[in-house]
Amino acid sequence: DADVTQTPRNRITKTGKRIMLECSQTKGHDRMYWYRQDPGLGLRLIYYSFDVKDINKGEISDGYSVSRQAQAKFSLSLESAIPNQTALYFCATSERVNNEQFFGPGTRLTVL
Amino acid sequence: AQSVTQLGSHVSVSEGALVLLRCNYSSSVPPYLFWYVQYPNQGLQLLLKYTSAATLVKGINGFEAEFKKSETSFHLTKPSAHMSDAAEYFCAVSDETGGYNKLIFGAGTRLAVHP
């Protein structure tokens, strides 16, 4: 079984809709991250959480919100989706030391 | 804050040829450095990491990278490319701005391997 899972894997939605992307992990890590990937831009950090009560904005948090429901679960929401939020979204986890991150398989989101 | 520059968004090599993917970071303090690989329709997988031990780091699938502080570089190499190496490669550097340890990624280099 995968250590970091993301649901859904693919989603097509319309402008203005609210969307939630979910991430679960079985690695027992405290730290979780949400990134978006766009061609030519690499991965950009949206939000990160170092424990259930510690949530921080990343480089591109506007238009997004998150919820850390438990150590193992970290959800990303788009309150009112817009077309330029069309991207590949990745969840990742890490331990407290070393900073090596472990990635989920990604969610491909298309906003029409 | 840290930044990472990957020279060349696309690199093409022949099967069996040397692979060289370039990465430069901005830091006066040696950071943790990482190379990740992304195969089509998959997430990122760690290739190798530098954590201030040996400057030559060996990773999976025959890849290695050398940390050069004087050049602020961490280039990825493989002596002989295989068709299965075709993927996108990301260099990343640790960043502790604001007291939180995060990763900053480069824009990526897409490697094509042709027969």
Side-chain angles (χ1 to χ4, degrees):
Chain A
D1 289 338
D3 295 319
V4 184
T5 57
Q6 293 183 235
T7 55
R9 293 294 312 279
N10 289 282
R11 182 71 184 268
I12 300 173
T13 191
K14 294 182 179 180
T15 297
K17 294 291 188 181
R18 184 179 188 274
I19 297 297
M20 178 179 286
L21 308 183
E22 299 186 342
C23 176
S24 296
Q25 54 116 345
T26 59
K27 299 188 76 64
H29 291 165
D30 289 327
R31 301 178 175 188
M32 298 187 73
Y33 310 80
W34 275 105
Y35 294 91
R36 66 176 279 175
Q37 182 182 11
D38 299 277
L41 296 179
L43 276 75
R44 293 180 292 167
L45 184 62
I46 306 172
Y47 270 95
Y48 57 103
S49 171
F50 277 22
D51 67 40
V52 175
K53 295 183 179 180
D54 182 21
I55 294 177
N56 303 277
K57 293 181 177 181
E59 180 185 358
I60 54 164
S61 60
D62 287 349
Y64 302 94
S65 62
V66 291
S67 173
R68 185 83 184 264
Q69 300 95 325
Q71 185 205 39
K73 296 184 182 296
F74 192 36
S75 300
L76 176 72
S77 294
L78 286 67
E79 299 301 327
S80 179
I82 56 177
N84 77 359
Q85 292 177 312
T86 293
L88 190 53
Y89 290 85
F90 286 105
C91 174
T93 73
S94 74
E95 298 175 317
R96 294 183 183 185
V97 297
N98 191 342
N99 215 11
E100 176 183 345
Q101 294 188 11
F102 299 83
F103 285 81
T107 294
R108 187 169 297 280
L109 177 65
T110 302
V111 183
L112 301 176
Chain B
Q2 294 274 12
S3 65
V4 177
T5 302
Q6 292 185 238
L7 292 176
S9 58
H10 291 80
V11 170
S12 181
V13 300
S14 300
E15 191 173 20
L18 171 72
V19 175
L20 170 61
L21 304 182
R22 300 178 186 274
C23 173
N24 289 89
Y25 64 92
S26 65
S27 174
S28 59
V29 177
Y32 291 171
L33 291 156
F34 305 81
W35 275 100
Y36 284 85
V37 60
Q38 183 182 27
Y39 298 105
N41 300 314
Q42 295 186 26
L44 277 70
Q45 176 184 355
L46 183 70
L47 267 182
L48 51 80
K49 60 187 177 185
Y50 168 76
T51 57
S52 74
T55 56
L56 182 62
V57 181
K58 294 187 182 298
I60 61 172
N61 301 335
F63 284 92
E64 62 183 35
E66 185 173 8
F67 171 70
K68 291 187 175 181
K69 181 180 177 181
S70 61
E71 299 177 7
T72 60
S73 69
F74 190 57
H75 301 332
L76 181 71
T77 61
K78 182 174 180 177
S80 177
H82 192 271
M83 297 295 288
S84 61
D85 294 327
E88 189 156 21
Y89 293 79
F90 293 94
C91 181
V93 62
S94 60
D95 178 80
E96 296 190 7
T97 303
Y100 286 92
N101 207 345
K102 306 179 293 293
L103 287 184
I104 306 298
F105 286 84
T109 298
R110 186 169 297 278
L111 176 67
V113 182
H114 52 86

